């Protein structure tokens, strides 16, 4: 158990819809990351927050947005969903910002029909 | 863009054998590498890391070797066990990691 909690574990929705994925980081971790894992693209970094502020952005689509709240939990919002958005979405956390040791949750599997 | 890739998609070994998983990287400026293990249905789990000022680092049953000349790193697992069966990823960078495609390690009893 990494200490990172993600909900929901599974989500099935239709094209055009909007979903919100939630993440609670490990106790004490200030950095939260979102990664997408798909068969064709592999594991890709989407976005990082540190103590409530956006820290770094990766290959995140404009239809996607995220935020980190004062209690440090984070949400990833995916809108105008397309079939190609079907993937595993992982949240990870770390204490600091310059580290390769991230603690990943078990992921939220999104299926867009 | 820069990428971190793997040579072999699947590696099958017998329990007790030593396993070697390879990874090539393209960015000669990369100075920090990490290996992650992902078991079925779980998120990636940190195994070991290495900085570019080192060419070898050892952990518990694992060793990472870094060859900067040919931009190659490897993960060696000693006395492989069935519980080592997983997908192994090399990654590069600090925090905003760039992951390779992954190698599946299958360990048979």
């Amino acid at each position: 158990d990494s200490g990172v909690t993600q909900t929901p574990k599974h989500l099935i929705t239709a094209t055009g819809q909007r979903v919100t994925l939630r993440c609670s980081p490990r106790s004490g971790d200030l950095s939260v990351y979102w990664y997408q894992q798909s068969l064709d693209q592999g594991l890709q970094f989407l976005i990082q927050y540190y103590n409530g502020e956006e820290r770094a952005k990766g290959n995140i689509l404009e239809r996607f947005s995220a935020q980190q709240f004062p209690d440090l939990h984070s949400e990833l919002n995916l809108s105008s969903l397309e079939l190609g958005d079907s993937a595993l979405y992982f949240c990870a956390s770390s204490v600091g910002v310059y580290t390769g040791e991230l603690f990943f949750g078990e992921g939220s599997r999104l299926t867009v029909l | 863009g820069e990428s971190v890739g793997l040579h072999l998609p699947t590696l099958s070994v017998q329990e007790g054998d030593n396993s070697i998983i390879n990874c090539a990287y393209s960015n000669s400026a990369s100075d920090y590498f990490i290996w992650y293990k992902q078991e079925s249905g779980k998120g990636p789990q940190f195994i070991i890391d290495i900085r570019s000022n080192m060419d070898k680092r050892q952990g518990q049953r694992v060793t990472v070797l870094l060859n900067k000349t040919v931009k190659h790193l490897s993960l060696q697992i000693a006395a492989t066990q069935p519980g080592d069966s997983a997908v192994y990823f090399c990654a590069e960078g600090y925090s905003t990691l760039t992951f390779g495609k992954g190698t599946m390690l299958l360990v048979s009893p």
Side-chain angles (χ1 to χ4, degrees):
Chain A
D1 183 4
S2 67
V4 177
T5 303
Q6 290 188 247
T7 57
K9 291 194 186 311
H10 301 276
L11 192 55
I12 301 175
T13 189
T15 55
Q17 295 298 305
R18 171 190 161 94
V19 299
T20 297
L21 310 180
R22 183 189 166 99
C23 170
S24 294
R26 286 191 324 156
S27 178
D29 284 357
L30 299 180
S31 271
V32 169
Y33 313 79
W34 287 96
Y35 281 81
Q36 180 194 58
Q37 186 173 39
S38 62
L39 285 174
D40 55 344
Q41 297 293 326
L43 258 170
Q44 287 203 311
F45 167 71
L46 294 179
I47 197 163
Q48 176 195 9
Y49 281 83
Y50 178 77
N51 204 20
E53 299 291 323
E54 182 183 304
R55 176 81 186 183
K57 235 174 182 176
N59 298 321
I60 187 166
L61 299 172
E62 285 193 11
R63 300 183 285 108
F64 297 180
S65 64
Q67 53 184 328
Q68 186 180 26
F69 295 87
D71 67 352
L72 300 178
H73 91 270
S74 178
E75 292 181 356
L76 179 65
N77 301 297
L78 316 173
S79 61
S80 302
L81 285 168
E82 302 176 358
L83 296 177
D85 298 327
S86 295
L88 260 172
Y89 291 86
F90 286 104
C91 173
S93 72
S94 67
V95 173
V97 294
Y98 289 116
T99 177
E101 186 171 5
L102 308 186
F103 295 86
F104 283 80
E106 295 199 340
S108 293
R109 182 173 292 280
L110 173 66
T111 302
V112 182
L113 301 177
Chain B
E2 300 296 348
S3 65
V4 180
L6 291 168
H7 293 306
L8 299 173
T10 304
L11 178 63
S12 297
V13 301
Q14 294 282 106
E15 181 178 1
D17 287 352
N18 294 333
S19 302
I20 300 176
I21 300 170
N22 296 303
C23 178
Y25 63 94
S26 56
N27 184 0
S28 56
S30 298
D31 64 354
Y32 180 57
F33 303 91
I34 314 99
W35 283 98
Y36 276 83
K37 171 187 181 182
Q38 186 176 20
E39 296 178 74
S40 181
K42 297 191 175 181
Q45 179 184 9
F46 174 91
I47 302 173
I48 192 168
D49 59 1
I50 189 167
R51 286 183 164 74
S52 60
N53 60 352
M54 304 172 71
D55 52 20
K56 180 179 180 178
R57 189 159 190 228
Q58 289 184 292
Q60 188 175 12
R61 282 200 307 118
V62 295
T63 301
V64 55
L65 300 177
L66 175 62
N67 185 331
K68 295 179 287 294
T69 302
V70 297
K71 293 186 282 189
H72 180 272
L73 68 158
S74 65
L75 177 71
Q76 300 179 1
I77 305 174
T80 313
Q81 303 166 1
D84 294 326
S85 293
V87 177
Y88 290 79
F89 296 93
C90 62
E92 174 270 332
Y94 294 91
S95 302
T96 59
L97 305 179
T98 299
F99 282 87
K101 294 296 185 187
T103 290
M104 178 170 287
L105 176 64
L106 299 174
V107 183
S108 51

